[in-house]
């Protein structure tokens, strides 16, 4: 008589709502799902070499990069957003929600880039406030961010958001020029989100108050609106 090995228990079902390409908006930015109408503005924005720094675009440059973004876009799979500055409705960058694993309550925010004029402003924290709030409102447990180990600016921005630095995966990605990239991973968990959210909201409120010293700053600058 032979006995079979005991089967491994299935993980408990994790209930999250799907990540959909919807408009997210606060007092600083509006995140619009990537559409064909955005292409020319993004191409113009990406002509500035300062946008990319050490980031290597695929063969074919920015047009090929955008072609992949359009091709990969799918609800609850790969959801790219165009970042629009509310003050003048200018397209100012991009970010995406991807590597979406509903069964594990996990996703990643990345492929983020901005015009140089947005660096060091409220644009990135405002956009991250919307994306993180959307993810955790949907019921996700973990939001991951990663960057090149050489990209000290991105690492500092992730730490300033309140994300936890988890460590480095060596040779995690093969770059277009054939070199290996070591990637630094950060994350925010659902039970950490309230404190991270409070810090982001305070940061945005301070920034907006400084921009409107005589009053007129929105009462709830980081409030999430979905359309």
């Amino acid at each position: 008589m032979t006995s079979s090995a005991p089967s491994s228990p299935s993980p408990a079902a994790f209930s999250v709502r799907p990540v959909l390409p919807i408009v997210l908006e606060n007092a600083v930015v509006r995140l619009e799902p990537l559409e064909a109408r955005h292409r020319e503005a993004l191409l113009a924005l990406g002509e500035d070499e300062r946008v990319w720094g050490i980031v290597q675009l695929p063969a074919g440059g920015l047009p090929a990069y955008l072609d992949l973004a359009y091709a990969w876009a799918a609800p609850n799979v790969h959801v790219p957003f165009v970042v629009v500055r509310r003050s003048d409705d200018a397209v100012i960058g991009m970010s995406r929600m991807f590597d979406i694993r509903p069964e594990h309550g996990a996703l990643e925010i990345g492929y983020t880039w901005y015009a140089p004029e947005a660096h060091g402003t409220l644009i990135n924290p405002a956009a991250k406030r919307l994306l993180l709030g959307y993810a955790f409102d949907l019921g996700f447990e973990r939001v991951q961010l990663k960057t090149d180990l050489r990209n000290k600016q991105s690492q500092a921005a992730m730490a300033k958001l309140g994300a936890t630095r988890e460590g480095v995966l060596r040779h995690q990605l093969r770059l277009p020029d054939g070199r290996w990239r070591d990637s630094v991973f950060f994350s925010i968990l659902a039970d950490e989100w309230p404190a991270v959210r409070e810090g982001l909201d305070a940061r945005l409120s301070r920034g907006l108050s400084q921009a409107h010293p005589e009053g007129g700053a929105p009462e709830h600058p980081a409030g999430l609106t979905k359309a």
Side-chain angles (χ1 to χ4, degrees):
M1 180 177 178
T2 59
S3 60
S4 59
S7 60
S8 301
S10 299
F14 202 94
S15 177
V16 297
R17 298 190 299 282
V19 180
L20 302 177
I22 63 172
V23 175
L24 305 171
E25 186 170 14
N26 59 24
V28 180
V29 295
R30 183 172 63 255
L31 306 187
E32 300 177 354
L34 177 66
E35 297 178 354
R37 63 187 176 88
H38 295 119
R39 185 180 179 90
E40 291 306 315
L42 291 169
L43 285 171
L45 202 65
E47 287 179 353
D48 191 326
E49 293 183 359
R50 294 174 298 168
V51 167
W52 305 108
I54 63 172
V55 174
Q56 293 186 24
L57 293 172
L62 184 55
Y65 174 93
L66 290 177
D67 287 344
L68 289 173
Y70 285 107
W72 292 345
N76 212 37
V77 176
H78 195 103
V79 184
F81 292 94
V82 174
V83 182
V84 177
R85 185 169 52 204
R86 285 284 308 278
S87 62
D88 59 0
D89 281 334
V91 170
I92 203 72
M94 279 190 74
S95 196
R96 312 188 203 178
M97 301 173 82
F98 63 103
D99 192 16
I100 299 167
R101 295 172 290 138
E103 69 277 16
H104 297 292
L107 59 77
E108 183 168 341
I109 294 172
Y111 290 96
T112 301
W113 55 276
Y114 298 109
E117 67 197 78
H119 297 173
T121 71
L122 294 180
I123 296 293
N124 185 58
K128 289 297 193 298
R129 171 63 175 84
L130 289 171
L131 293 170
L132 289 165
Y134 185 32
F136 289 118
D137 284 350
L138 292 174
F140 280 82
E141 171 64 21
R142 169 187 167 87
V143 175
Q144 173 178 291
L145 308 98
K146 68 176 183 284
T147 189
D148 193 311
L149 180 61
R150 299 170 298 163
N151 195 333
K152 305 302 182 185
Q153 182 178 346
S154 287
Q155 291 182 59
M158 291 174 185
K160 193 172 182 179
L161 286 174
T164 296
R165 188 182 192 272
E166 297 180 323
V168 177
L169 288 187
R170 300 177 299 163
H171 289 201
Q172 190 262 333
L173 287 175
R174 185 86 161 177
L175 298 173
D177 67 0
R179 290 184 297 159
W180 288 103
R181 184 182 109 167
D182 297 338
S183 295
V184 186
F185 282 72
F186 289 75
S187 70
I188 300 171
L189 304 182
D191 63 359
E192 299 167 342
W193 171 234
V196 172
R197 178 181 60 210
E198 183 178 347
L200 276 171
D201 286 352
R203 181 178 169 190
L204 293 171
S205 293
R206 286 194 303 271
L208 286 168
S209 294
Q210 291 168 4
H212 301 84
E214 298 179 0
E219 185 178 354
H220 300 291
L224 179 63
T225 301
K226 293 182 254 190

